Amino acid sequence: MYTNVNLAAPIGVLALLGTALLLFLLGLLFFYSLGKRRFALTKFVVLAATLLTGLYFAVLLTFSFASSERVLARGDEKHFCEIDCHLAYSVAAVRESKTVGEAPNQVTAAGMFRIVTIKTRFDETTISPNRGNGLLYPNARVVSIVDESGREHFPATEAQRVLENSHTSGTAMTIPLRPGESYSTTLAFDVPPDVSRATLVIREGDLVTHFVIGHENSPLHKKISFQL
């Protein structure tokens, strides 16, 4: 199974929350020591906070360096850990077109549209025993095409609007699912016509994930992408 973390998500989240709590308590102690003019305690608090922060980022970078870059073939799934269950993403179809839509609402690409259909599946085999059949609301997702020079290309706004208005964009990736359910989403990217070795990257959009140990968004962590 290919996932967006190389440390169990509950452990990564608990490590972040625990470290944040300790830093908060040290912050309170810092202001207390200043108010009481106990400067020896102030120095201790600053040292403790510095060591704690340094240790956290050292562990974070250790997991980043231990990660592996992978490019998944058509149909292979990348799992996003949602603490007690997984959402699986795969590329269902890719096509190229110079235009999107029909006149008079047709949009022409500056380069060439890569129109990608992504399947989202709630993997029912990954839920915890007590979770039940409740809805899962996906976290924010960022989807981009990365070309061979490392440039990122995001969905073309006007083309995406045409797809949505013509009801051919499928289901938005933020729509909740129940265990076993799935849907497809179609996105249009305007990429230069000479791009030949592009990959699709799907990642979480929440800023806090950049500070979670083992998370794909953390600094220097390698990515799992999809071949187009």
Side-chain angles (χ1 to χ4, degrees):
M1 180 185 295
Y2 304 105
T3 68
N4 66 327
V5 293
N6 61 341
L7 174 68
I11 296 176
V13 171
L14 287 175
L16 176 62
L17 293 176
T19 302
L21 176 61
L22 288 175
L23 288 174
F24 174 74
L25 295 176
L26 287 172
L28 294 179
L29 189 56
F30 173 80
F31 288 110
Y32 170 81
S33 66
L34 287 180
K36 296 294 185 178
R37 303 181 66 83
R38 297 175 60 180
F39 299 120
L41 178 58
T42 302
K43 292 180 180 179
F44 171 79
V45 170
V46 171
L47 177 61
T50 302
L51 290 175
L52 178 61
T53 303
L55 176 62
Y56 184 88
F57 278 96
V59 175
L60 184 147
L61 290 175
T62 297
F63 276 87
S64 292
F65 290 135
S67 63
S68 300
E69 195 91 23
R70 292 185 182 275
V71 178
L72 304 183
R74 186 76 56 84
D76 285 347
E77 291 182 323
K78 176 182 178 180
H79 287 245
F80 281 65
C81 187
E82 302 283 350
I83 306 300
D84 63 346
C85 52
H86 285 189
L87 287 179
Y89 293 85
S90 60
V91 173
V94 181
R95 63 184 177 90
E96 291 188 349
S97 177
K98 186 63 179 178
T99 61
V100 168
E102 302 292 336
N105 300 314
Q106 191 175 77
V107 178
T108 302
M112 183 69 70
F113 285 124
R114 292 276 183 95
I115 302 171
V116 184
T117 299
I118 300 166
K119 180 181 178 181
T120 303
R121 182 177 69 89
F122 187 163
D123 188 347
E124 72 278 12
T125 66
T126 61
I127 62 176
S128 61
N130 301 318
R131 188 191 182 282
N133 197 45
L135 287 169
L136 170 64
Y137 290 81
N139 293 326
R141 299 286 184 252
V142 176
V143 185
S144 63
I145 286 179
V146 179
D147 62 29
E148 54 263 41
S149 64
R151 292 175 299 176
E152 273 194 291
H153 307 272
F154 296 95
T157 303
E158 290 300 319
Q160 208 58 43
R161 184 177 295 115
V162 169
L163 290 176
E164 291 170 2
N165 290 340
S166 62
H167 306 290
T168 56
S169 62
T171 304
M173 297 176 76
T174 54
I175 298 300
L177 308 93
R178 297 186 189 278
E181 291 183 340
S182 65
Y183 53 68
S184 295
T185 307
T186 298
L187 302 173
F189 303 81
D190 190 346
V191 300
D194 58 345
V195 170
S196 59
R197 296 193 302 276
T199 58
L200 184 82
V201 176
I202 305 174
R203 62 183 187 273
E204 291 202 51
D206 294 331
L207 179 63
V208 68
T209 58
H210 293 266
F211 303 99
V212 176
I213 294 172
H215 197 285
E216 185 177 52
N217 282 349
S218 60
L220 303 180
H221 200 289
K222 298 179 180 64
K223 304 292 187 290
I224 294 177
S225 57
F226 297 90
Q227 184 178 12
L228 293 179

